[in-house]
Structure formats: C-alpha cells, structure tokens
C-alpha cells in the first residue's frame, strides 16, 4: 500500500464529521480506532523516542505553555547549545536503554546558520550509532532545511500546537502560517514530518477538532503525530488552567488514529501525571509511540524502568519506527 493511497487516506476532513467522532459513545469510538489501528500496525508494538534539550531556555517566543520562554517566570537554568560529544554521550545512553529514535530540541525561535552546522554534526553522530534522528529547532529557512536533510536527518518536529482560531490566545510572536510554511519546507526537503499539538490549554472542543483537522488535512499526513497533554509549569501563563477530563484526551488519541491511520500517534508530554491504566487506554485507542527516558525537555517523564515494567505488564514490545506501509 502506498503511504498516501487515496482509498485509505483522506485530507478533506470537516468539522461536523470530526466532532461526531470525538463525541461518539466511548466504546464505539475506541472500537473503531482499535480496528483501524490493527489494520495498519502490530497492536502490541510501541515505538520509543528519547528527548534531549540541546539548548535550554532564554527563548524569545512567548508560547504560553512553555517554561523555556524568556518572557515567563519558570524556575529554569538557561543553557547554551551543548557540545557535540556531550549530545552523543547522551544518545548512546538512550540507545542502551532501548530508544530507537533520538530527538534533540532547542529553545529557538529559529536557528542561526552556524547553529545548524553543529546540529548537523549531532545528527551525523547519532545516525552513525544506528539510531533514527529527530530535531526540533523552531522555524527553518530552505537552506537550513536542505543542510539538515543532507546531514541525514530523519524527522523534523514542528507542532501546530492548537487550532488556528485558538492559536493567538497562546502565542503572539509567530503565526500559524509561519508554522505551516516551515512544515512545507520540511516536506519539500523530503524529511519525515513529526507534527502534533497540545490539549488541556483551555481550548474548546471545536479547537481540539480543528487541530486534528489541520493535521490530517496537511498535503501528506505527518509520519509522527505527538499528542501532548499540557504540562502545567508554574510561572507560565498556562501554569494554572483547569485540567482536562482524561477521557477527552483518550478521545483525541482515538480520533487522531482514525484520521491518520498510517501515522505513529505519540502519547507525548503529560505521561508523568497519567495513571498506568490511562496510558494503557491510550495504547488501546491507537497510540503507538512514546517519549521514553526520565526527562522530556525540561520537565519530568516517567522513569524508564517504570515504562519497561508497564510494557511488560501489557505484553507490549518496543518497535522500530517504521511508518505503516
Ligand atoms: N523551540 C522550538 C519550537 O517551539 O518549535 C522547539 C522546541 S518546543 C519546546 C517543542 C514543542 O514542545 C512545542 O511545540 C510544544 O508543542 C511542546 N511543549 C512545550 N512546552 C510544553 C508543555 N508545557 N506541555 C506540553 N507540551 C509542551
Ligand atoms: C513534542 O510534541 N513534545 C516534546 C517534543 N515534541 C519536543 C516536548 C514536550 C515538552 C514538555 C515540556 C518540557 O519538558 O519542557
Ligand atoms: Fe521557545 Fe519553542 Fe518554548 Fe515556544 S515552545 S517558547 S519557541 S522553546
């Protein structure tokens, strides 16, 4: 099956259809998502990616959820771009613990060309270890995108974060269109796209549906779709929003699976605050990827040995990362 075969993949989802899915009786929704999941993936395999913050804090953007913005007051020690050898040491450790993909994140609005040179060295080093590579560096120029591709980058993470309507409530220093433009450049350079969003930021049900629509109606579905539950960080504007009903989160995972049947749907940030049972439900709803390792970028993630024990209890194996073909 081609990764974009017309009989399977749609790019014309409408709000009424997606709302109908998100509000279906829970059992019907989960059954539908699990059925689609099984048609495309081994239901007992979950791909594991490890994250490292290679440049931390002092970011000029004002993303309301993010502890790394210089405009907020989170308790965080800024750190300059890490030396290549330290990054590679960390990647080796992640590989020894069982990660198949190493994701490097930088708190930049957009990188400088000289930053890209160092990031390319990191990508080359991680690839040489036999791991897949992902970076998230903010907005990219065409030249930078090409340099990353030539360096062997497998995935670029750039999230839409929320619906276009709600976006300006959360971020004012760059536009939704800026994000779409970077995603286009990444697609044009033939780098796999990792693109998702955050829920639990005080958005409406329509905003959640419209986020999923924006993702699924991209010209090609992102190969990797991280669904983050907001990690509420003290000192950020969203540090104290009302928590989301866990079932709403599980429904988002299920509908992401239905809309983008061949994509890896990642149960991303927020797992440290989720019960094992809730995570198991997310896997049943079609999530088949996680961030693994004791830290996300700056906040806590479940301990690796806890995740390994959970996989064991669920009979889940960690998978390579292939996109469903
Ligand atoms: N600076 C780059 C950018 O924003 O594109 C890359 C790093 S940024 C930290 C990557 C993503 O992390 C954001 O787009 C957002 O989706 C996610 N993120 C950041 N803070 C979060 C939080 N508190 N809870 C959940 N997700 C968060
Ligand atoms: C994504 O969608 N989630 C990750 C990754 N892509 C870069 C980041 C989550 C960050 C959570 C807050 C923190 O640890 O700073
Ligand atoms: Fe900066 Fe990225 Fe955080 Fe926004 S999400 S403040 S761009 S590090």
């Amino acid at each position: 099956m081609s990764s974009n075969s017309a009989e399977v993949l749609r790019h014309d989802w409408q709000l009424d259809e997606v709302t109908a899915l998100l509000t279906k009786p829970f059992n019907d929704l989960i059954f539908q998502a699990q059925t689609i999941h099984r048609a495309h993936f081994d239901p007992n395999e979950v791909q594991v990616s490890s994250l490292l913050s290679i440049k931390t804090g002092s970011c000029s953007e004002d993303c309301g959820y993010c502890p790394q913005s210089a405009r907020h007051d989170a308790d965080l020690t800024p750190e300059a771009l890490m030396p290549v050898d330290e990054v590679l040491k960390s990647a080796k450790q992640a590989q020894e613990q069982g990660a198949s993909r190493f994701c490097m994140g930088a708190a930049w609005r957009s990188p400088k060309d000289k930053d890209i040179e160092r990031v390319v060295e990191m990508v080359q080093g991680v690839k040489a270890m036999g791991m897949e590579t992902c970076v998230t560096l903010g907005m990219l120029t065409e030249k930078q995108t090409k340099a990353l591709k030539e360096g062997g980058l497998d995935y670029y993470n750039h999230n839409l974060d929320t619906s276009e309507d709600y976006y300006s409530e959360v971020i004012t220093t760059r536009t939704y269109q800026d994000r779409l433009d970077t995603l286009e450049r990444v697609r044009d350079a033939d780098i796999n796209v990792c693109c998702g969003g955050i829920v639990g930021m005080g958005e409406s049900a329509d905003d959640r549906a419209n986020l999923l629509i924006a993702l699924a109606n991209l010209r090609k579905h992102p190969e990797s779709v991280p669904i983050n539950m907001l990690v509420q960080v003290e000192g950020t504007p969203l540090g104290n929003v009302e928590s989301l009903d866990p079932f709403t989160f599980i429904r988002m995972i299920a509908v992401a699976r239905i809309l983008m049947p061949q994509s890896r749907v990642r149960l991303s940030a927020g797992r440290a605050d989720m019960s094992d049972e809730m995570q198991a439900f997310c896997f049943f709803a079609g999530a088949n990827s996680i961030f693994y390792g004791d830290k996300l970028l700056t906040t806590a993630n479940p301990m690796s040995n806890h995740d390994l024990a959970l996989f064991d209890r669920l009979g889940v194996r960690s998978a390579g990362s292939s996109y469903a073909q």
Side-chain angles (χ1 to χ4, degrees):
M1 191 192 312
S2 101
S3 62
N4 224 357
S5 57
E7 73 277 15
V8 182
L9 301 184
R10 285 183 50 192
H11 301 268
D12 59 354
W13 289 94
Q14 303 295 317
L15 183 60
D16 56 343
E17 298 174 277
V18 174
T19 301
L21 284 171
L22 281 168
T23 54
K24 248 183 152 169
F26 189 74
N27 288 341
D28 292 344
L29 174 63
I30 302 302
F31 181 74
Q32 184 178 347
Q34 173 68 197
T35 305
I36 289 177
H37 189 46
R38 280 171 184 263
H40 296 279
F41 288 98
D42 178 334
N44 299 309
E45 278 193 353
V46 172
Q47 182 271 333
V48 295
S49 292
S50 276
L51 265 177
L52 176 69
S53 181
I54 58 172
K55 186 268 169 185
T56 305
S58 303
C59 183
S60 61
E61 301 287 284
D62 70 350
C63 312
Y65 48 76
C66 185
Q68 304 202 66
S69 167
R71 300 163 192 247
H72 310 329
D73 201 16
D75 180 18
L76 185 88
T77 311
E79 280 168 43
L81 183 60
M82 286 172 70
V84 176
D85 59 336
E86 275 181 36
V87 172
L88 298 186
K89 213 186 291 169
S90 179
K92 191 85 218 152
Q93 275 169 7
Q95 185 177 39
E96 282 163 7
Q97 289 181 352
S100 67
R101 190 182 307 165
F102 194 65
C103 306
M104 296 162 268
W108 285 316
R109 169 182 168 80
S110 48
K112 298 192 182 71
D113 288 350
K114 75 166 178 12
D115 298 324
I116 291 287
E117 284 170 29
R118 203 191 295 179
V119 173
V120 164
E121 282 179 52
M122 295 173 189
V123 167
Q124 288 166 338
V126 174
K127 262 198 100 72
M129 290 174 195
M131 287 176 100
E132 287 191 319
T133 52
C134 177
V135 297
T136 180
L137 314 172
M139 294 183 284
L140 295 180
T141 62
E142 199 181 322
K143 181 177 157 206
Q144 293 173 337
T145 317
K146 282 195 179 130
L148 289 167
K149 173 68 184 177
E150 278 158 22
L153 182 69
D154 296 304
Y155 289 81
Y156 193 78
N157 167 246
H158 199 64
N159 290 336
L160 288 177
D161 278 348
T162 187
S163 70
E164 186 162 13
D165 287 345
Y166 195 60
Y167 184 86
S168 59
E169 302 284 321
V170 181
I171 299 143
T172 69
T173 47
R174 63 177 142 155
T175 65
Y176 214 65
Q177 190 58 48
D178 287 332
R179 294 191 183 235
L180 291 167
D181 291 346
T182 291
L183 290 168
E184 279 287 304
R185 276 180 211 117
V186 172
R187 243 323 150 223
D188 285 342
D190 201 24
I191 299 170
N192 291 309
V193 171
C194 172
C195 182
I198 310 176
V199 293
M201 298 196 294
E203 73 285 340
S204 68
D206 276 3
D207 291 319
R208 286 188 286 274
N210 280 324
L211 166 64
L212 291 173
I213 290 169
L215 294 168
N217 291 356
L218 288 169
R219 105 167 103 107
K220 191 173 174 204
H221 293 168
E223 283 76 8
S224 187
V225 181
I227 305 291
N228 297 276
M229 176 78 104
L230 174 71
V231 179
Q232 297 187 14
V233 183
E234 218 184 293
T236 64
L238 296 177
N240 207 10
V241 290
E242 202 181 321
S243 296
L244 197 71
D245 178 352
F247 291 117
T248 303
F249 185 85
I250 299 169
R251 284 174 181 276
M252 280 296 283
I253 297 268
V255 178
R257 166 53 62 225
I258 293 167
L259 266 48
M260 294 168 278
Q262 297 183 352
S263 303
R264 285 265 166 206
V265 175
R266 181 170 308 118
L267 168 54
S268 304
R271 287 197 306 117
D273 295 321
M274 293 178 195
S275 67
D276 291 343
E277 294 83 350
M278 175 165 171
Q279 294 182 59
F281 233 127
C282 290
F283 296 138
F284 194 52
N288 60 354
S289 172
I290 58 167
F291 285 124
Y292 169 75
D294 307 347
K295 212 166 158 197
L296 290 164
L297 289 173
T298 66
T299 65
N301 201 37
M303 302 296 279
S304 304
N305 58 6
H306 188 97
D307 281 340
L308 292 177
L310 179 60
F311 277 18
D312 197 43
R313 288 161 74 203
L314 300 177
V316 160
R317 299 178 301 278
S318 85
S321 62
S322 60
Y323 184 57
Q325 298 293 332

